[in-house]
Amino acid sequence: MSRRNLGTVLAAGKSRGRRAAVALAVVVVAGCAAQQGGGTAGGAVPGVTDTAVRVGGVLTKTSASGYSTKDAETGARARFERANAEGGVNGRKIEFVGAEDDGQDAAKGDAAAKKLVQKDQVFALVPVHAPNFGGAAFLEQQGVPWFGWATGPQWCGTKTGFGYNGCLAPKQGAGSQTWWGRQMADLLGGSQGKTVYVQTTDSSGSKYGGTTISQSFTAAGFTLVGLNSGLPAAAPPPDWLPYVNKIMTSAGGKAPDVVVSVIAGTKFNVGLYSALKRAGYQGTLTDATSYDAAILKDQAGAQAMEGVIAAPMFEPFESTAPEIAQLKADVEKVAPGTVLTQHLAIGYWSADIFLDMLKKTGKDLTREKFLATGNGDYSYDNAGFGRIRYPKDHSEPNGCGALVKLEGGAFQVAKSMKCFDNVPLK
């Protein structure tokens, strides 16, 4: 072989070697990216493999006031475990990495959301149950779906946030719930001539809830005689008397027929209700958070809450509905002896809606396709939480709820889950 031909062959060999090395490097990098993103080398989708979908949540497990939503983690896990036992969704099991604690701090909630998405590489956040959740803007910007209890305005107007009860903080002109007022009117034998006073804290979510809930009662025919948002949200006040005095004289110098507490925390409600009863209040007390079995363990707390009407946005555990029997069985299987709480139910039903949306998206799963399903005339009816309609419920609540009464040291179903039409928020 000539010296020139030999040089040509050697050069060609070196070129092929370089191309092979580059090709190998590409394969290695793609494989690593797929592993880190939970996807496959053919086109990695964060949190998704051929056999699994990874999710995690953000809860307020701890807070200065003692308010905690930690039980939502057990509820979500119970629903996911049943889905996995049934073979998963479209051939994929749910890999639940658990829930981060935001400490009822918006900045910590934002950091928790970023950790789950950027480090843990979850496909979606389930459940999110934190009144001051601060990760909404990040999740919307990243196109990451999130599911939970829509307790504040950060849930509304998004394309990624799916509250199991819709948007509870609609803008003026959008649909606003009437179910609480209408259920109470039915329970009390009508609303004609009856007055209502609404007490909230100074948190944004509580104040907004006061506005929408006030309208719920006026839409049902009650006369609003007071809406007080001056109660500090950080901790119960040392003296309830100033608040009680306003309430007891709000209806033309008399006490109102109904007092609605829009306060997140049993300590708050126990303090307010105890003070009202000491002042001789004989009307109806109602709130959204007192459906809590832990109350029954404390004699003083149970006494303060006796007769209170709680308004959960799901079918009560005391119901005979098959969906509630299934929930109880699912929870007992993963956490025997667990006390059923409102927060647990919220985690369970949030996970249930996520699973339904996941199933309807199909085997070819990406965040874009998943969100297209959720925002493309999505509907789901379930006796456990009523109904959900998206994208409509990105801007208004689902309009459904039940009533539970604490009587004789036990909870009783006062009104089963029912859905009502919304009215435009004034």
Side-chain angles (χ1 to χ4, degrees), residues 128 148-153 155-156 162-169 313 346 390:
V128 175
W149 192 13
T151 53
W155 286 88
C156 304
F162 298 89
Y164 88 93
N165 51 356
C167 156
L168 295 190
M313 284 171 273
I346 289 163
Y390 278 104

Side-chain angles (χ1 to χ4, degrees), residues 9 15 51 77 125-126 133 166 227 360 372 425:
V9 169
S15 177
T51 58
R77 190 180 301 279
L125 268 63
V126 192
F133 181 58
L227 171 56
K360 290 174 180 175
L425 181 64

Side-chain angles (χ1 to χ4, degrees), residues 4-369:
R4 177 181 296 177
N5 289 340
L6 179 59
T8 300
V9 169
L10 291 174
K14 289 179 181 179
S15 177
R16 285 194 297 271
R18 283 195 297 270
R19 288 198 299 270
V22 169
L24 178 60
V26 169
V27 169
V28 171
V29 170
C32 290
Q35 185 177 15
Q36 291 171 357
T40 61
V45 178
V48 177
T49 69
D50 289 339
T51 58
V53 178
R54 187 181 305 128
V55 299
V58 177
L59 307 175
T60 296
K61 294 184 177 181
T62 60
S63 69
S65 67
Y67 177 73
S68 175
T69 67
K70 63 181 177 63
D71 293 347
E73 184 168 359
T74 301
R77 190 180 301 279
R79 184 63 187 90
F80 288 145
E81 286 298 316
R82 175 158 68 90
N84 288 343
E86 293 172 345
V89 181
N90 299 323
R92 295 185 176 96
K93 299 291 185 71
I94 304 301
E95 181 187 341
F96 183 46
V97 301
E100 300 290 320
D101 180 16
D102 80 339
Q104 207 167 8
D105 182 286
K108 290 182 180 178
D110 182 50
K114 289 175 179 175
K115 174 186 178 294
L116 286 167
V117 173
Q118 296 171 342
K119 182 180 178 182
D120 298 333
Q121 291 284 301
V122 300
F123 174 78
L125 268 63
V126 192
V128 175
H129 185 10
N132 294 334
F133 181 58
F138 168 75
L139 296 175
E140 183 76 357
Q141 188 271 330
Q142 295 292 315
V144 179
W146 44 301
F147 291 73
W149 192 13
T151 53
Q154 66 269 40
W155 286 88
C156 304
T158 75
K159 293 183 179 180
T160 57
F162 298 89
Y164 88 93
N165 51 356
C167 156
L168 295 190
K171 294 181 179 179
Q172 287 190 346
S176 185
Q177 65 95 355
T178 65
W179 73 263
W180 194 344
R182 295 190 189 281
Q183 287 276 58
M184 286 295 296
D186 288 346
L187 183 66
L188 299 177
S191 58
Q192 186 174 2
K194 291 186 174 65
T195 55
V196 61
Y197 184 99
V198 179
Q199 178 68 59
T200 86
T201 69
D202 59 4
S203 74
S204 60
S206 182
K207 287 191 289 187
Y208 208 107
T211 300
T212 58
I213 292 166
S214 295
Q215 182 168 306
S216 176
F217 278 80
T218 57
F222 291 87
T223 299
L224 180 68
V225 294
L227 171 56
N228 185 342
S229 299
L231 182 64
D239 183 9
W240 283 100
L241 193 58
Y243 304 97
V244 170
N245 286 341
K246 287 184 179 180
I247 294 171
M248 294 297 289
T249 58
S250 61
K254 299 186 299 182
D257 295 295
V258 180
V259 174
V260 183
S261 172
V262 190
I263 302 171
T266 300
K267 290 181 180 179
F268 281 89
N269 286 325
V270 167
L272 175 60
Y273 299 157
S274 295
L276 281 168
K277 289 180 178 181
R278 286 195 299 269
Y281 184 71
Q282 298 293 317
T284 300
L285 301 169
T286 183
D287 64 63
T289 60
S290 290
Y291 184 36
D292 184 355
I295 293 171
L296 305 180
K297 298 179 180 179
D298 176 56
Q299 185 175 359
Q303 185 175 356
M305 304 299 258
E306 178 72 15
V308 171
I309 307 294
M313 284 171 273
F314 57 87
E315 182 69 356
F317 301 122
E318 292 74 19
S319 169
T320 58
E323 291 82 359
I324 303 307
Q326 181 68 70
L327 179 153
K328 291 178 179 178
D330 292 345
V331 172
E332 184 64 21
K333 189 169 184 178
V334 302
T338 294
V339 176
L340 302 176
T341 68
Q342 180 169 212
H343 302 304
L344 182 148
I346 289 163
Y348 184 93
W349 294 121
S350 299
D352 185 69
I353 294 172
F354 168 75
L355 292 169
D356 181 75
M357 200 174 291
L358 193 66
K359 180 180 179 181
K360 290 174 180 175
T361 301
K363 178 70 173 178
D364 187 11
L365 179 63
T366 66
R367 283 177 180 157
E368 291 77 11
K369 291 178 180 178

